[in-house]
Amino acid sequence: MHRRLLLALAALPCAPARASVLERPLIAAAASLQPALEEAAALITAQTGIAPRFAFGASGNLARQIAQGAPFEMLLAADEISIQKLAEAGHTRDAGHVFALGRLALFAPRGSALDPAGGLEALRPLLAAGRVQRFAIANPEIAPYGRAAEQALRRLDLWEALRPHLVFGTSIAQAAQFATTEGAIGGLVAHSLALSPALMARGSFSLVPEDLHEPLRHRLALTKRGSEAALRLQAWLLSPQAAAVFARHGLQAP
């Protein structure tokens, strides 16, 4: 009986080699990067053998989770301060690398009284006429695009008049959702999200002048948990192939 069992086992196909098993590091990423990283995922796997698992959210929230021990191996933030604070506290391998530059966009859903082509100044007469019910931005305390939105509105002296009408998303992705809901005149969102099919189908946008807010410099860094797979993933994210993907989603090379 034992001989027959051994012969049967020998006839089975061999199991795949360990090296062929995909490596799956857990990566924290700013919500503004979701469209680009979803496109990049297949390329990353094909070229590196790595199938990263992405958790998207506000950069400030993700950085806090890492500081509290969350098992992320890398943070791709929509700002630099989130990485800087982690590095100073000893949670990252180094100060990281700037890998993309973002833009802020003024979005309005179809049927809105707001015409994005008129820029942020188009909000002024609508506010004066009482035609602004809700306007969406990300929470400035945790989301870099929210901070940029507040800076731009303050620069144009629109913040105080608009503040009673603001709805805050916990991330820029949630702010984009709020900007399309009934009763919302629009919102300030990431250019990368404004270019997504979901928003393109529901409205229009214009870019906010870059001199109205601090630069949206996206920085990444490996955490102290970063594995060899995460290190190889970082190299890919800093490559020309990655830059081309990011550019298609409105994120320019630094």
PDB file of all heavy atoms in Angstrom, residues 178-199:
ATOM      1  N   PHE A 178     -18.582  64.088  -2.378  1.00  0.00           N
ATOM      2  CA  PHE A 178     -19.482  65.128  -1.862  1.00  0.00           C
ATOM      3  C   PHE A 178     -19.752  66.199  -2.920  1.00  0.00           C
ATOM      4  O   PHE A 178     -20.848  66.776  -2.963  1.00  0.00           O
ATOM      5  CB  PHE A 178     -18.880  65.778  -0.621  1.00  0.00           C
ATOM      6  CG  PHE A 178     -18.883  64.913   0.609  1.00  0.00           C
ATOM      7  CD1 PHE A 178     -18.098  65.245   1.702  1.00  0.00           C
ATOM      8  CD2 PHE A 178     -19.670  63.776   0.691  1.00  0.00           C
ATOM      9  CE1 PHE A 178     -18.083  64.460   2.842  1.00  0.00           C
ATOM     10  CE2 PHE A 178     -19.675  62.978   1.824  1.00  0.00           C
ATOM     11  CZ  PHE A 178     -18.879  63.321   2.906  1.00  0.00           C
ATOM     12  N   ALA A 179     -18.753  66.490  -3.761  1.00  0.00           N
ATOM     13  CA  ALA A 179     -18.907  67.536  -4.780  1.00  0.00           C
ATOM     14  C   ALA A 179     -19.929  67.167  -5.838  1.00  0.00           C
ATOM     15  O   ALA A 179     -20.426  68.038  -6.561  1.00  0.00           O
ATOM     16  CB  ALA A 179     -17.563  67.826  -5.437  1.00  0.00           C
ATOM     17  N   THR A 180     -20.252  65.880  -5.944  1.00  0.00           N
ATOM     18  CA  THR A 180     -21.212  65.436  -6.963  1.00  0.00           C
ATOM     19  C   THR A 180     -22.598  65.167  -6.396  1.00  0.00           C
ATOM     20  O   THR A 180     -23.514  64.844  -7.151  1.00  0.00           O
ATOM     21  CB  THR A 180     -20.720  64.136  -7.640  1.00  0.00           C
ATOM     22  OG1 THR A 180     -20.685  63.077  -6.672  1.00  0.00           O
ATOM     23  CG2 THR A 180     -19.338  64.317  -8.236  1.00  0.00           C
ATOM     24  N   THR A 181     -22.762  65.295  -5.076  1.00  0.00           N
ATOM     25  CA  THR A 181     -24.055  64.962  -4.476  1.00  0.00           C
ATOM     26  C   THR A 181     -25.067  66.074  -4.710  1.00  0.00           C
ATOM     27  O   THR A 181     -24.718  67.228  -4.972  1.00  0.00           O
ATOM     28  CB  THR A 181     -23.911  64.714  -2.967  1.00  0.00           C
ATOM     29  OG1 THR A 181     -23.353  65.886  -2.350  1.00  0.00           O
ATOM     30  CG2 THR A 181     -23.014  63.526  -2.696  1.00  0.00           C
ATOM     31  N   GLU A 182     -26.327  65.728  -4.586  1.00  0.00           N
ATOM     32  CA  GLU A 182     -27.412  66.691  -4.805  1.00  0.00           C
ATOM     33  C   GLU A 182     -27.296  67.857  -3.831  1.00  0.00           C
ATOM     34  O   GLU A 182     -27.071  67.674  -2.643  1.00  0.00           O
ATOM     35  CB  GLU A 182     -28.763  65.991  -4.626  1.00  0.00           C
ATOM     36  CG  GLU A 182     -29.946  66.888  -4.954  1.00  0.00           C
ATOM     37  CD  GLU A 182     -31.272  66.159  -4.843  1.00  0.00           C
ATOM     38  OE1 GLU A 182     -31.251  64.915  -4.659  1.00  0.00           O
ATOM     39  OE2 GLU A 182     -32.317  66.827  -4.932  1.00  0.00           O
ATOM     40  N   GLY A 183     -27.429  69.045  -4.336  1.00  0.00           N
ATOM     41  CA  GLY A 183     -27.338  70.238  -3.504  1.00  0.00           C
ATOM     42  C   GLY A 183     -25.951  70.842  -3.460  1.00  0.00           C
ATOM     43  O   GLY A 183     -25.782  71.978  -3.018  1.00  0.00           O
ATOM     44  N   ALA A 184     -24.943  70.114  -3.910  1.00  0.00           N
ATOM     45  CA  ALA A 184     -23.580  70.647  -3.920  1.00  0.00           C
ATOM     46  C   ALA A 184     -23.352  71.431  -5.203  1.00  0.00           C
ATOM     47  O   ALA A 184     -23.656  70.963  -6.299  1.00  0.00           O
ATOM     48  CB  ALA A 184     -22.559  69.529  -3.804  1.00  0.00           C
ATOM     49  N   ILE A 185     -22.795  72.619  -5.049  1.00  0.00           N
ATOM     50  CA  ILE A 185     -22.496  73.434  -6.226  1.00  0.00           C
ATOM     51  C   ILE A 185     -21.192  72.983  -6.876  1.00  0.00           C
ATOM     52  O   ILE A 185     -20.920  73.291  -8.039  1.00  0.00           O
ATOM     53  CB  ILE A 185     -22.440  74.925  -5.833  1.00  0.00           C
ATOM     54  CG1 ILE A 185     -22.626  75.819  -7.063  1.00  0.00           C
ATOM     55  CG2 ILE A 185     -21.161  75.262  -5.094  1.00  0.00           C
ATOM     56  CD1 ILE A 185     -22.842  77.260  -6.718  1.00  0.00           C
ATOM     57  N   GLY A 186     -20.381  72.243  -6.118  1.00  0.00           N
ATOM     58  CA  GLY A 186     -19.112  71.738  -6.625  1.00  0.00           C
ATOM     59  C   GLY A 186     -18.121  71.560  -5.499  1.00  0.00           C
ATOM     60  O   GLY A 186     -18.510  71.365  -4.342  1.00  0.00           O
ATOM     61  N   GLY A 187     -16.849  71.625  -5.831  1.00  0.00           N
ATOM     62  CA  GLY A 187     -15.827  71.457  -4.813  1.00  0.00           C
ATOM     63  C   GLY A 187     -14.441  71.587  -5.385  1.00  0.00           C
ATOM     64  O   GLY A 187     -14.247  71.738  -6.598  1.00  0.00           O
ATOM     65  N   LEU A 188     -13.465  71.538  -4.499  1.00  0.00           N
ATOM     66  CA  LEU A 188     -12.064  71.562  -4.883  1.00  0.00           C
ATOM     67  C   LEU A 188     -11.507  70.156  -4.687  1.00  0.00           C
ATOM     68  O   LEU A 188     -11.536  69.624  -3.573  1.00  0.00           O
ATOM     69  CB  LEU A 188     -11.291  72.582  -4.046  1.00  0.00           C
ATOM     70  CG  LEU A 188     -11.541  74.041  -4.464  1.00  0.00           C
ATOM     71  CD1 LEU A 188     -11.054  75.008  -3.395  1.00  0.00           C
ATOM     72  CD2 LEU A 188     -10.864  74.339  -5.802  1.00  0.00           C
ATOM     73  N   VAL A 189     -11.021  69.565  -5.762  1.00  0.00           N
ATOM     74  CA  VAL A 189     -10.596  68.165  -5.744  1.00  0.00           C
ATOM     75  C   VAL A 189      -9.213  68.047  -6.369  1.00  0.00           C
ATOM     76  O   VAL A 189      -8.681  69.000  -6.939  1.00  0.00           O
ATOM     77  CB  VAL A 189     -11.603  67.273  -6.500  1.00  0.00           C
ATOM     78  CG1 VAL A 189     -13.012  67.442  -5.930  1.00  0.00           C
ATOM     79  CG2 VAL A 189     -11.604  67.573  -7.997  1.00  0.00           C
ATOM     80  N   ALA A 190      -8.636  66.872  -6.295  1.00  0.00           N
ATOM     81  CA  ALA A 190      -7.363  66.608  -6.957  1.00  0.00           C
ATOM     82  C   ALA A 190      -7.580  66.498  -8.460  1.00  0.00           C
ATOM     83  O   ALA A 190      -8.562  65.909  -8.915  1.00  0.00           O
ATOM     84  CB  ALA A 190      -6.759  65.309  -6.426  1.00  0.00           C
ATOM     85  N   HIS A 191      -6.663  67.066  -9.225  1.00  0.00           N
ATOM     86  CA  HIS A 191      -6.734  66.948 -10.680  1.00  0.00           C
ATOM     87  C   HIS A 191      -6.797  65.486 -11.095  1.00  0.00           C
ATOM     88  O   HIS A 191      -7.520  65.113 -12.026  1.00  0.00           O
ATOM     89  CB  HIS A 191      -5.503  67.631 -11.290  1.00  0.00           C
ATOM     90  CG  HIS A 191      -5.484  67.664 -12.774  1.00  0.00           C
ATOM     91  ND1 HIS A 191      -4.317  67.721 -13.510  1.00  0.00           N
ATOM     92  CD2 HIS A 191      -6.490  67.639 -13.702  1.00  0.00           C
ATOM     93  CE1 HIS A 191      -4.594  67.752 -14.792  1.00  0.00           C
ATOM     94  NE2 HIS A 191      -5.903  67.686 -14.942  1.00  0.00           N
ATOM     95  N   SER A 192      -6.037  64.626 -10.398  1.00  0.00           N
ATOM     96  CA  SER A 192      -6.013  63.201 -10.729  1.00  0.00           C
ATOM     97  C   SER A 192      -7.392  62.561 -10.593  1.00  0.00           C
ATOM     98  O   SER A 192      -7.727  61.632 -11.331  1.00  0.00           O
ATOM     99  CB  SER A 192      -5.013  62.473  -9.835  1.00  0.00           C
ATOM    100  OG  SER A 192      -5.313  62.690  -8.462  1.00  0.00           O
ATOM    101  N   LEU A 193      -8.203  63.043  -9.662  1.00  0.00           N
ATOM    102  CA  LEU A 193      -9.556  62.520  -9.504  1.00  0.00           C
ATOM    103  C   LEU A 193     -10.519  63.174 -10.482  1.00  0.00           C
ATOM    104  O   LEU A 193     -11.450  62.533 -10.975  1.00  0.00           O
ATOM    105  CB  LEU A 193     -10.045  62.725  -8.068  1.00  0.00           C
ATOM    106  CG  LEU A 193      -9.235  61.994  -6.986  1.00  0.00           C
ATOM    107  CD1 LEU A 193      -9.839  62.256  -5.609  1.00  0.00           C
ATOM    108  CD2 LEU A 193      -9.170  60.502  -7.254  1.00  0.00           C
ATOM    109  N   ALA A 194     -10.307  64.451 -10.768  1.00  0.00           N
ATOM    110  CA  ALA A 194     -11.167  65.137 -11.738  1.00  0.00           C
ATOM    111  C   ALA A 194     -11.055  64.498 -13.118  1.00  0.00           C
ATOM    112  O   ALA A 194     -12.008  64.537 -13.908  1.00  0.00           O
ATOM    113  CB  ALA A 194     -10.795  66.618 -11.810  1.00  0.00           C
ATOM    114  N   LEU A 195      -9.906  63.882 -13.404  1.00  0.00           N
ATOM    115  CA  LEU A 195      -9.693  63.209 -14.691  1.00  0.00           C
ATOM    116  C   LEU A 195     -10.274  61.800 -14.729  1.00  0.00           C
ATOM    117  O   LEU A 195     -10.293  61.174 -15.787  1.00  0.00           O
ATOM    118  CB  LEU A 195      -8.197  63.121 -14.996  1.00  0.00           C
ATOM    119  CG  LEU A 195      -7.492  64.433 -15.378  1.00  0.00           C
ATOM    120  CD1 LEU A 195      -5.990  64.214 -15.429  1.00  0.00           C
ATOM    121  CD2 LEU A 195      -8.013  64.970 -16.701  1.00  0.00           C
ATOM    122  N   SER A 196     -10.716  61.285 -13.596  1.00  0.00           N
ATOM    123  CA  SER A 196     -11.227  59.919 -13.547  1.00  0.00           C
ATOM    124  C   SER A 196     -12.550  59.821 -14.306  1.00  0.00           C
ATOM    125  O   SER A 196     -13.316  60.786 -14.374  1.00  0.00           O
ATOM    126  CB  SER A 196     -11.439  59.480 -12.097  1.00  0.00           C
ATOM    127  OG  SER A 196     -12.506  60.207 -11.502  1.00  0.00           O
ATOM    128  N   PRO A 197     -12.847  58.674 -14.902  1.00  0.00           N
ATOM    129  CA  PRO A 197     -14.104  58.511 -15.644  1.00  0.00           C
ATOM    130  C   PRO A 197     -15.337  58.833 -14.804  1.00  0.00           C
ATOM    131  O   PRO A 197     -16.303  59.394 -15.313  1.00  0.00           O
ATOM    132  CB  PRO A 197     -14.084  57.039 -16.056  1.00  0.00           C
ATOM    133  CG  PRO A 197     -12.628  56.695 -16.127  1.00  0.00           C
ATOM    134  CD  PRO A 197     -11.985  57.484 -15.027  1.00  0.00           C
ATOM    135  N   ALA A 198     -15.301  58.512 -13.522  1.00  0.00           N
ATOM    136  CA  ALA A 198     -16.458  58.746 -12.651  1.00  0.00           C
ATOM    137  C   ALA A 198     -16.807  60.229 -12.574  1.00  0.00           C
ATOM    138  O   ALA A 198     -17.983  60.607 -12.663  1.00  0.00           O
ATOM    139  CB  ALA A 198     -16.186  58.192 -11.262  1.00  0.00           C
ATOM    140  N   LEU A 199     -15.781  61.097 -12.419  1.00  0.00           N
ATOM    141  CA  LEU A 199     -16.056  62.529 -12.323  1.00  0.00           C
ATOM    142  C   LEU A 199     -16.240  63.161 -13.691  1.00  0.00           C
ATOM    143  O   LEU A 199     -17.067  64.074 -13.853  1.00  0.00           O
ATOM    144  CB  LEU A 199     -14.953  63.247 -11.545  1.00  0.00           C
ATOM    145  CG  LEU A 199     -15.323  63.529 -10.070  1.00  0.00           C
ATOM    146  CD1 LEU A 199     -15.451  62.224  -9.306  1.00  0.00           C
ATOM    147  CD2 LEU A 199     -14.319  64.445  -9.411  1.00  0.00           C
TER     148      LEU A 199
END
